[in-house]
Amino acid sequence: MPSPYRAIFATPGTKGFTAAGLIGRMPLSMVGIGVLTMITELGGSYALAGGITATIALSAAAVGPQVSRLVDQHGQRRVLRPATLVAAASVTGLLVAAARGWPSWTLFVFAVVAGCVPSVGSMVRARWTALLRDTPQLHTAYSFESIVDELCFIVGPPLAATLSAGWFPEAGPVVAVVFLVTGVWWLTALTATEPKPHPRHEHSDLSSALRSPGLQVLVATFVATGAIFGSVDVATLAFAEEHGSKSLGGVFLAVWAFGSCLAGIVFGLLHFKGKAEPRWIVGISAMAVRMIPLLLAGTLPFLAVALFVSGLAIALMPTIQRGSACCTSRARPNLAGSWASVRWP
């Protein structure tokens, strides 16, 4: 039986934008861990490091959808490149400020501006939506996107932590910025699969994707899941350092993503009938229950097992939500997808 994943790549251009998207979204998993490791390696506290990464995440949640709104109106190439340059410059400023010991408030200023980083995953999903809309293959494409996200979280955290802890403190974020610029430039050069822009005057009745009740529920849910992701990142690194090996924190986060990746692969091979809402509720409930063992971790081996178990439920919920969100606003695929994928850092 042919693999459904192989079938989605029969469409011309899909391999190119998938590869570019993989590189461009690596910072999603690297910047947060890289900044956390950098700040603590430079003598800062976990409270300061966590505050900075939280500021980046909150800024991305607020600014990212606005960037995606502009993309829907003007196209990916015209918007993503300048937004990427601004984000890269702000992260660079953050690194310089941290390395030179500038006042803490300057770090937060740069962190706020860094929130304009494009949601590369949403741009890739928008291309899948344009190519496979109203086909069964779209479910497989969304599942594949979940797998790619988790692959980034398998490779990114240990890479960023190792670079910053073993090379020089700023190494992890620097490499993340290189990935971002390279991936976005490559993706935006592939104009053949770029979704057609939708100028505002063509859809005056869709002034805000957030007017959709369904998307409002997704946003509220992802605010909660984003808090979980951010707190687990910080807590895992701190727990590993407390037990004598900070570099293992990135490895444990990779184990967490590996569990989610396995679940995403299986989920993409399945074909469901009926509405997505029941599966969405099951996914949320499963993730909540599987987070409980993390609260009981007292040793590094137990933490690794608990992270793997909790990761098995993570890929299911976002995959369902991404499919729902990208269809919530058919005229604004990047904007809807952006709200459904806020996972920075």
Side-chain angles (χ1 to χ4, degrees):
M1 178 179 176
S3 169
Y5 291 113
R6 181 181 300 177
I8 64 177
F9 289 106
T11 305
T14 54
K15 294 180 181 178
F17 71 67
T18 297
L22 173 62
I23 296 174
R25 76 182 74 180
M26 279 297 292
L28 181 71
S29 64
M30 293 183 65
V31 167
I33 300 303
V35 169
L36 281 168
T37 307
M38 177 189 71
I39 296 296
T40 54
E41 285 290 313
L42 292 174
S45 65
Y46 275 100
L48 174 62
I52 293 172
T53 56
T55 299
I56 296 175
L58 291 173
S59 179
V63 180
Q66 306 309 317
V67 173
S68 294
R69 181 195 300 274
L70 293 175
V71 170
D72 284 328
Q73 295 174 6
H74 305 289
Q76 293 187 2
R77 184 186 180 94
R78 292 182 60 186
V79 176
L80 294 187
R81 290 191 172 186
T84 296
L85 292 178
V86 173
S90 62
V91 173
T92 302
L94 174 62
L95 303 185
V96 173
R100 296 190 176 183
W102 291 0
S104 297
W105 66 265
T106 61
L107 305 181
F108 286 95
V109 171
F110 285 119
V112 169
V113 180
C116 72
V117 64
S119 177
V120 177
S122 298
M123 305 304 148
V124 174
R125 285 189 289 275
R127 295 188 180 221
W128 283 118
T129 302
L131 293 174
L132 304 177
R133 190 189 302 276
D134 298 327
T135 69
Q137 291 179 321
L138 189 57
H139 164 79
T140 303
Y142 289 150
S143 297
F144 178 79
E145 284 300 300
S146 180
I147 295 170
V148 173
D149 282 344
E150 301 312 328
L151 286 175
C152 292
F153 277 87
I154 291 173
V155 176
L159 176 61
T162 300
L163 288 173
S164 291
W167 192 8
F168 59 93
E170 302 85 0
V174 166
V175 173
V177 169
V178 172
F179 278 138
L180 176 65
V181 174
T182 302
V184 169
W185 246 254
W186 184 6
L187 179 67
T188 53
L190 304 174
T191 56
T193 55
E194 181 178 346
K196 180 182 176 181
H198 298 273
R200 182 184 296 272
H201 64 81
E202 291 185 8
H203 300 282
S204 58
D205 59 324
L206 292 174
S207 59
S208 174
L210 280 177
R211 292 181 179 178
S212 168
L215 192 57
Q216 291 173 4
V217 173
L218 299 186
V219 171
T221 304
F222 263 95
V223 168
T225 55
I228 292 174
F229 293 149
S231 59
V232 169
D233 285 349
V234 177
T236 299
L237 284 179
F239 189 87
E241 183 178 20
E242 183 180 350
H243 285 74
S245 183
K246 181 192 292 188
S247 60
L248 278 180
V251 176
F252 287 167
L253 292 176
V255 171
W256 192 31
F258 180 66
S260 181
C261 183
L262 290 180
I265 293 174
V266 174
F267 189 76
L269 295 174
L270 303 176
H271 297 281
F272 298 97
K273 296 181 180 180
K275 296 182 178 181
E277 287 84 349
R279 299 195 301 274
W280 177 69
I281 295 175
V282 170
I284 294 174
S285 302
M287 190 178 76
V289 171
R290 296 194 181 203
M291 289 293 172
I292 295 176
L294 292 176
L295 303 177
L296 308 176
T299 64
L300 291 176
F302 187 95
L303 176 64
V305 174
L307 285 169
F308 178 79
V309 170
S310 66
L312 291 173
I314 292 176
L316 306 184
M317 185 186 65
T319 301
I320 297 171
Q321 289 175 321
R322 282 168 188 151
S324 301
C326 289
C327 297
T328 299
S329 178
R330 299 173 67 91
R332 298 182 182 275
N334 298 296
L335 179 56
S338 177
W339 279 114
S341 61
V342 176
R343 192 177 178 181
W344 181 293

